[in-house]
Structure formats: C-alpha cells, structure tokens
Amino acid sequence: MLSLCCILALLASFCPDTSGTTAGVKVKLTQKGLEYGQKIGIPILLKKLKAIDLPEMNGSVGVFLIGRVAYSLTGMKVLNVRLPQSAVGLVPGIGVSLIISDGYIDTGGNWRVKFLGFISDSGTFDLSVCGLTITTTITIKSDGTGRPMVRSANCEASLSHARIRLRGGASWLYNMFNGYINKKVRKELQRKICPLVSENIQKINSYMKTLNVLKKIDRYAEIEYGLTESPVVSVSSTELSLKGEFYNIGVHKKPAFAPTPFSLPPNERNMLYMGISAFTANSAGFVYKNAGALRLRITDKMIPRAFPYRLNTKTFEALIPQIAKQYPNMMMKLLVKAATAPTVTFAPNNVTLQANTTVTVYAIQPNTTLTTLFILNVDASLSAHVYVIRKNLAGKLSLNKFNIDLGTSYIGPFKVKPLASFLQIMLKIVIPHVNVILQRGFPLPNIANISLVKPRLVIMKDYVLIGTDVQFKP
C-alpha cells in the first residue's frame, strides 16, 4: 500500500495548484506503473493485517438444556493472512481503485466459559475467516503547502463467513453455539479492516512531508514543480501538468517567454513518462543569466601548453599589430560573458543551443590593473547530447559553428577574421567548463526512495520525452 501511494504521489507532488499556467513539465503514470505499486504494496498490507490487534471478546448466549453461558475469548492473534487476488485500476476523473478479493484470515486464542453459576471450563480455539473482500479508492490532492496528500475514500470490507473450533475441555458441547461466536468475531474483524487501510494510507502523508517542494540546484537557482491544473485521470493513465520552472534563489521573476503547449504520446510500455519542455531549459538560462553566472575569465594558465597561442600581446602581434606596439610584452586576460540568455531548441532527435556572448580582451599592466583592448560579439551554435543520470537530466555541449564581429575597439580599427582560429581555441576552453556544470544535471520530478530503472530518452518537437520504469526501496 505504501509503495502504491508513493508512486501516485510522485505524480501529485511538489507544489500548489497554479491553475491557468501552461505546463513546462508533464508526468504520466500508466497502468503498468499502477500494477507495480500493487505488486509491492500488497505484501505491506499483508504485514499490517497480520498485526491487527483483536480485543478480548465477552458475552453470553443461551444454550439448550444449559441456560445462559458466559464466554470470553482472550489472547487472540492473527496467525496467517492470504490475499490471493487483487487488482488496481483507474477511475476516470477520480483516482485509483484497489480491489482485494477471496482473502482469508486465520486467528487463534484462548476461550473460557462459565454457566450455572459455578461451572467453568477453558481451552484454545482456531478461527478461519474466508471470503475477505476490500475495495477502496485512493484520491490525491495538494495539502495546501505544495506537498501531496493521499486519502482512502469509499472503503468497504466484508467477510463472507467464519468458522471457529474450540479445543480442550468440553469443547464438543460448546461448539454447539459457535455460530453465534463466529458472527461476532467476523463482525469485529470486518469493523477493523477499513480503518486499518485508511490509517496506513494516512501514514504516507507524514512521509510525504519530507518531499522538497522547491528544489535548490546551487547558489544561483532553484526549480519549482507546481501543478498547473488538476490531475487528469483517464481509463489508461494519470497525467499531471507541472510548472517546471527555474527561479533565482528567493526571487521568482517571470521570463518574457511562456511554455509551448505539448502533449505526451500514448505510450504504455513503461511505468512512467516525463516530458521536459524547452521552456524549462530556457528558464534555467534566463535565471543563470540574471544571476551573472554565465561568465568565465580565461587566463594563460588555462590554455594547454600544446596550443599554438598564448595569452600575451606578443602572440597577438601577428593578428593585431597595434596591440604589441601599444602594450608590449604584457600578459592578457579574457572575459567571456553571455550577452543574452541562451536559447535551447528541441526538434526531433536534435537539441541545439544558441549562445550570444561577448568576449572582452584585456591587457594586464605591470601593476596588475586591466586595460580593455576590444570587445567581440560572438554568436555560437552548439549541439547538445541530453541524457538521464540517476534522477537528474544532464547534458553535454559541442560546437557547431560561430560568427564574430567587432563590438568596440579601444586600440583602433582592425579586421576580426584573423581572430577566428584564436576564438575557436578559446571556445574549446569555455565549453568544457560549461559541460562540467551540465553533467551534474538538474533534478527531475521525483520522490524519495523511488529510483528510475533503465530510462529511455527521445528528443521530440519542443520537449524531451523520458520513458522509465521505477523501483521503490522502503
């Protein structure tokens, strides 16, 4: 039961309803995912049923030729429970149904009787209850803090019949009225089952409070997975639309762009499907640009010794002669900075990133002050390889092409074309630094104790589709 609810809560978690907002991320749980929850949830329910606390039962009943017989059943324990048949299904517009049938419960304990005011007897008993049926609907909603809350609704439990056998003493005599005791014990068991189911579902809610509503990525950014509309439950799947938006830490500033509507394909092969839109990736670029994090200072120490260029004015003498004349024998430094937020585009089997940057070139004076020489505008097109690592979506960039033009010169006019080879080398330094960050990835919608199993990733138009099975480890 716990795992079933955890899988369901994976869909409903992470943020308050923000109706009217187009989703940046979509998540779909299929029938296969529900059946996995059923498979590992039923043994947990069995364990709980075996721990049912049955109270002492006292009463009296009239017996032919004997009169009123007072009885008590004590020390009752559940010895065995079997739930051979169970099924889960989706209830369109509501949630998930759980049906358990043909179950049975074996219990045992001690009996004692007293009659005619002075005769008493005792022994042990065995009780078998057959035809156990449990039906309930599991609904999911937000608890008001952005975390999921699950509830058992419309629970019904029934036991078709029970059979008690008294042993020891004059049990042959008292078995004459065991029909009365059967009915009372069956009623007591039946009364306890639904509260037990509801109680254990309620316990999930305290577990769910450990979920991160707003996930911090680093010192610059956090990501929010908020419901943009109520869950859509159909005959074959449950689909949620999540916000999927990056923000600067503590500052929720909206970008100038909005998510493009998209729909997940009707795949059923995996337990879970996630669609991560280009909006989510682009909101990350917007946030890191605003935080001033998309910049890198390059010094000569960062250039491999095998490279033909060094970061000094002597190297630049052949490219821009006036540099060596005006600033002879000086080391240089570069500042590569995003001019605008990078733009990610998803097309079938293709991910591209467009980066508009400036490269500011400095001469380092003998007293270590920096003198600006010129500023280049560099527009670069890059390809991205996107993949899933653990519970994160990660990537790696490679350069396709770039264009350069002169933004500002403080050393007089010069041609920028000779700098193309030099810039290509510099980009080979910048891109690996970016890849170190991208390879850490950002967290996908997830819940504690659930891991992704053999995720498969496909690039679709405007979003990345991830199909995966899941594994729950209590």
Side-chain angles (χ1 to χ4, degrees):
M1 187 70 67
L2 173 65
S3 55
L4 174 60
C5 292
C6 284
I7 292 172
L8 293 172
L10 174 61
L11 293 173
S13 56
F14 305 111
C15 244
D17 191 332
T18 52
S19 298
T21 304
T22 303
V25 172
K26 290 193 174 185
V27 181
K28 182 174 75 171
L29 178 68
T30 66
Q31 181 67 29
K32 182 180 179 182
L34 288 177
E35 290 170 357
Y36 172 74
Q38 170 197 355
K39 179 181 177 181
I40 59 178
I42 292 300
I44 296 174
L45 180 59
L46 275 171
K47 184 177 180 180
K48 299 297 182 182
L49 288 172
K50 288 179 180 178
I52 287 179
D53 181 24
L54 294 172
E56 180 178 319
M57 296 184 188
N58 300 290
S60 63
V61 62
V63 178
F64 181 68
L65 299 178
I66 298 178
R68 300 299 296 179
V69 176
Y71 69 88
S72 65
L73 302 177
T74 61
M76 288 190 289
K77 293 183 179 179
V78 176
L79 304 176
N80 189 28
V81 181
R82 290 289 300 276
L83 303 175
Q85 296 185 38
S86 63
V88 289
L90 291 162
V91 183
I94 298 177
V96 177
S97 65
L98 171 64
I99 301 174
I100 297 171
S101 57
D102 294 333
Y104 69 81
I105 302 175
D106 292 334
T107 67
N110 305 310
W111 62 267
R112 179 177 294 276
V113 298
K114 187 174 183 180
F115 56 95
L116 299 179
F118 62 92
I119 299 175
S120 62
D121 204 353
S122 62
T124 61
F125 73 88
D126 299 319
L127 173 68
S128 295
V129 182
C130 304
L132 168 61
T133 300
I134 304 172
T135 62
T136 189
T137 301
I138 301 170
T139 62
I140 315 164
K141 62 179 181 179
S142 172
D143 67 357
T145 69
R147 292 176 173 83
M149 182 170 65
V150 294
R151 186 172 66 91
S152 173
N154 306 318
C155 180
E156 295 182 3
S158 62
L159 298 162
S160 60
H161 59 277
R163 180 175 181 274
I164 188 170
R165 296 297 298 178
L166 306 178
R167 304 181 188 282
S171 56
W172 59 270
L173 175 62
Y174 314 125
N175 278 323
M176 293 172 60
F177 60 88
N178 66 12
Y180 176 85
I181 299 176
N182 287 350
K183 183 178 180 180
K184 189 166 184 177
V185 173
R186 186 174 80 241
K187 185 177 180 180
E188 180 64 23
L189 280 170
Q190 188 169 296
R191 184 179 67 84
K192 282 183 168 288
I193 288 173
C194 272
L196 178 72
V197 172
S198 297
E199 177 188 341
N200 282 280
I201 291 176
Q202 282 296 115
K203 286 181 180 178
I204 309 291
N205 291 324
S206 59
Y207 170 77
M208 291 300 142
K209 289 185 184 299
T210 64
L211 292 171
N212 288 325
V213 173
L214 201 61
K215 178 66 177 178
K216 183 178 179 181
I217 308 299
D218 50 33
R219 63 192 177 104
Y220 302 109
E222 56 194 8
I223 188 168
E224 180 181 344
Y225 289 112
L227 288 169
T228 62
E229 59 181 277
S230 298
V232 177
V233 182
S234 66
V235 174
S236 60
S237 65
T238 300
E239 185 171 306
L240 268 80
S241 299
L242 308 179
K243 198 168 188 181
E245 185 170 353
F246 281 79
Y247 292 109
N248 291 110
I249 298 291
V251 181
H252 287 200
K253 182 180 179 181
K254 292 285 185 182
F257 50 88
T260 300
F262 68 98
S263 299
L264 298 179
N267 296 4
E268 301 292 333
R269 178 179 177 182
N270 290 112
M271 299 177 187
L272 198 69
Y273 288 91
M274 287 182 276
I276 314 297
S277 72
F279 167 81
T280 298
N282 287 326
S283 71
F286 173 76
V287 163
Y288 283 99
K289 168 65 171 61
N290 283 349
L294 301 183
R295 59 172 61 203
L296 178 65
R297 297 185 184 275
I298 301 177
T299 63
D300 186 68
K301 292 180 180 179
M302 298 167 65
I303 301 176
R305 292 188 177 277
F307 277 29
Y309 296 105
R310 307 311 309 173
L311 261 183
N312 56 48
T313 56
K314 185 176 181 180
T315 295
F316 272 76
E317 183 176 15
L319 303 173
I320 309 173
Q322 59 263 47
I323 288 183
K325 292 179 181 178
Q326 297 178 33
Y327 302 96
N329 301 316
M330 292 186 187
M331 299 305 294
M332 299 172 68
K333 179 182 286 188
L334 307 182
L335 172 62
V336 182
K337 182 173 67 173
T340 60
T343 302
V344 175
T345 303
F346 292 136
N349 301 314
N350 185 40
V351 182
T352 58
L353 183 145
Q354 190 68 34
N356 301 318
T357 64
T358 61
V359 179
T360 304
V361 181
Y362 302 96
I364 305 175
Q365 299 285 357
N367 63 358
T368 71
T369 60
L370 299 179
T371 299
T372 305
L373 304 180
F374 56 88
I375 301 172
L376 298 175
N377 299 320
V378 181
D379 296 335
S381 173
L382 304 102
S383 293
H385 169 59
V386 183
Y387 55 95
V388 176
I389 177 169
R390 294 181 294 277
K391 296 182 184 181
N392 288 3
L393 185 65
K396 183 178 181 181
L397 297 176
S398 58
L399 180 65
N400 291 332
K401 61 182 181 179
F402 68 93
N403 296 310
I404 59 173
D405 64 70
L406 182 62
T408 304
S409 175
Y410 299 94
I411 57 173
F414 62 89
K415 294 181 180 180
V416 298
K417 189 175 181 180
L419 294 175
S421 297
F422 170 77
L423 257 296
Q424 190 164 21
I425 291 173
M426 293 304 102
L427 289 173
K428 288 182 179 179
I429 295 173
V430 173
I431 292 173
H433 277 79
V434 176
N435 284 338
V436 168
I437 298 171
L438 292 179
Q439 287 167 8
R440 297 174 193 157
F442 69 86
L444 294 165
N446 67 76
I447 191 171
N449 297 349
I450 287 183
S451 56
L452 307 183
V453 178
K454 297 181 179 179
R456 287 183 285 270
L457 186 148
V458 180
I459 309 300
M460 311 289 283
K461 178 175 172 52
D462 298 326
Y463 71 98
V464 174
L465 177 67
I466 301 169
T468 183
D469 289 339
V470 299
Q471 184 177 34
F472 174 74
K473 292 184 178 180

